[in-house]
Amino acid sequence: MPTPTANIRNFCIIAHIDHGKSTLADQFLLKTGTISERDIKAQTLDSMDLERERGITIRMHPVTIYHEYKGIRYELNLIDTPGHVDFNYEVSRSLAACEGAILLADAFQGVQAQTVANGFLAMDAGLKIIPTLNKIDLPHARPDFVIGEMETALMTNPDEVMRVSGKTGIGVEDLLAAVIDRVPQPAGDPTAPTKALIYNSHFDTYKGVVVYIRMIDGNIKPGQKIKFMRAGREYAITEMGQFRPDMVKCDELSAGQVGYFTANIKNIEYVGIGDTVTDAVNPTAEPLAGYKEPKPMVYSGLFPVNNNEFEDLREALGKLKLNDSSFTFTPEVSDGLGFGFRCGFLGMLHREIIQQRLERESELNLVQTAPNVSFEVLKKNGELVTLHGPQDVPDGGVIEEFREPIVRISFLIPAANIGAMMGMCTDRRGTFVRTEYLSQLRVILVYEMPLAEVIYDLYDKLKSVTHGYGTMDYEVLGYRGADLVKMDILVHGQKVDALSVIVHRSNAERRGRAILKKLREEIDRHLFEVSLQAAIGARIIARETIAAMRKNVTAKCYGGDITRKRKLWSKQAEGKKRMKQIGQVEVPQEAFLAVLEQDE
């Protein structure tokens, strides 16, 4: 018998990275008896090895728990969400399946950049926010100070802030009561035609695609014929159930409930995240709005070290794509690295996680090229083209405007570091927006900046400047025109496409010199002089020279007439001249890697 909507509460936990979301979720499982003391382990919901090793949540994790409050049994559907900026898309999907959100802040670290970003994301989605202070058991906790920061940054009522410890369980019972009292019940109608939102999915080798749904109206049962409204495909449900936290079968899911179903779906591409599930015989009139498609913002090449592993890499990428709809890949060929794939990621951590999963799960040895962002080019004929790399740039004569992605970036830093931080942002072509003081000691600094200047090492530099106390969050605003150029690298007069980069004209010379210096160290000396050049169009902007190897052809001549030596030297000079004209320069793979790893 499904739980009536009056007794259902759907909520998620949102916070900055490492503020204790997964630990608090463990306490919920323990306090409600969903998991026994014997079976509990740290970060129970984080199922991936990488999540456990790094101590971060990468994918959202739903779980259904039952809790008795004032004599009534309530069904609480909790979604534990990631905290890192790269997985913001996962957070937005979770919010669409909930009516409430626990907004968590660390009682020592206080409000951080992602706390603010996720808080406003939840407010925009119309969720009831329960502000909560975690880690109050720490000896150096500053609860009153942090509650003041929450009031300033997020306009929360200090009297409504819950105080808990995810580690010891202090205040967890009161927080569960607050969820039941404050979060509204789902608004669905159990008697209306079936309508459910697909908010996630994963591929199971034995069951096919497992579809995660949030029921809006009506109900579904095993054997029922259902239809995906956007895809237009129909299936018969073979199994359904809830996450408790493992998959547990049930006979029916009704309005307001969260669960999963399988229907012998063999290809995950048939299941669109954000699509609407309805009854095939008696469909609902209007589909749900769904989600905005995630747009990859960072692109990077992935190449197998051994070219024979190309097909293995294609298969491994296909499997990863099954579980991560925000990841994209297309085949490409590089002069220096052979056959590989151009991959799109949401950010740098997403890129790192994908590479580690590939190397672990598929045991592949991979080369990853330097990350770059996507650009837009407006041609003189009015056509707008999106570029994912320098190789896509059209001839300069047809370009009306070159555009780059701009982000609004919020730094939450100690007030003492404002000067250094502003200087760093100005060096990276940042435009100042505003400053907000959370307290006398902490400040939010907001800049607009090209994404290309953010992805390389801005996070590392931020941590360095603020001695580890700074955090950042960014949102993409769109594309804006800029003075961008394609810089080519020539080795011995020949263009090497794999080393071309798109740069701002003001940085081109400095970047070109840095690349050429690295190449000069990596390319072996030849019997003739080798020129290395950086060029914009036909104009050379930087040059380095690899000196020729010198062979002592007169070593065998001892004493005697100088004319014999001159004859040998003349012969050597002619040979070198001819070799320079027809000689080929071999650029080793190590040289490509040295430049591509980080050309900053």
Side-chain angles (χ1 to χ4, degrees), residues 211-339:
V211 184
Y212 297 38
I213 54 165
R214 155 71 204 272
M215 294 298 299
I216 307 296
D217 291 325
N219 52 42
I220 61 167
K221 297 175 181 175
Q224 181 179 345
K225 200 163 187 192
I226 49 105
K227 179 181 181 180
F228 295 155
M229 293 187 79
R230 196 187 305 159
R233 295 177 178 273
E234 295 185 4
Y235 298 96
I237 292 175
T238 51
E239 182 192 314
M240 54 184 286
Q242 292 177 309
F243 299 97
R244 298 184 192 169
D246 298 323
M247 289 160 64
V248 176
K249 292 181 187 178
C250 69
D251 296 329
E252 187 179 353
L253 283 175
S254 185
Q257 290 188 293
V258 175
Y260 73 90
F261 73 80
T262 61
N264 285 331
I265 307 169
K266 297 289 185 280
N267 191 336
I268 203 155
E269 288 175 10
Y270 298 160
V271 181
I273 304 296
D275 202 348
T276 305
V277 177
T278 189
D279 187 78
V281 181
N282 180 25
T284 184
E286 286 292 318
L288 296 159
Y291 302 108
K292 277 196 299 188
E293 282 294 311
K295 276 190 181 171
M297 293 313 299
V298 175
Y299 288 85
S300 183
L302 269 179
F303 296 86
V305 170
N306 181 352
N307 272 333
N308 296 336
E309 293 180 338
F310 175 74
E311 284 304 325
D312 295 338
L313 177 58
R314 185 199 293 275
E315 194 177 315
L317 290 172
K319 282 181 182 171
L320 260 185
K321 173 78 176 160
L322 294 180
N323 287 341
D324 190 347
S325 58
S326 55
F327 166 64
T328 63
F329 66 94
T330 50
E332 74 166 352
V333 184
S334 160
D335 293 348
L337 303 172
F339 293 95

Side-chain angles (χ1 to χ4, degrees), residues 543-592:
R543 175 184 169 116
E544 292 282 341
T545 304
I546 301 174
M549 286 171 70
R550 184 173 173 81
K551 185 180 178 185
N552 189 356
V553 289
T554 58
K556 61 189 177 193
C557 301
Y558 47 92
D561 191 357
I562 190 70
T563 53
R564 188 172 173 215
K565 287 186 178 180
R566 281 182 182 149
K567 192 175 176 182
L568 286 168
W569 285 331
S570 167
K571 205 171 175 184
Q572 183 185 32
E574 280 178 24
K576 282 197 174 188
K577 188 178 176 183
R578 191 170 67 252
M579 198 181 284
K580 191 172 182 177
Q581 289 170 347
I582 63 168
Q584 294 290 315
V585 178
E586 188 72 30
V587 182
Q589 196 175 33
E590 291 74 28
F592 284 96

Side-chain angles (χ1 to χ4, degrees), residues 2-3 64 69 105 131 232 294 298 320 325 340 367 385 395 445 475 480 504 512:
T3 309
T64 299
Y69 177 63
V298 175
L320 260 185
S325 58
V367 172
V385 183
D395 293 335
L445 197 60
E475 59 171 324
R480 287 185 198 161
H504 194 268

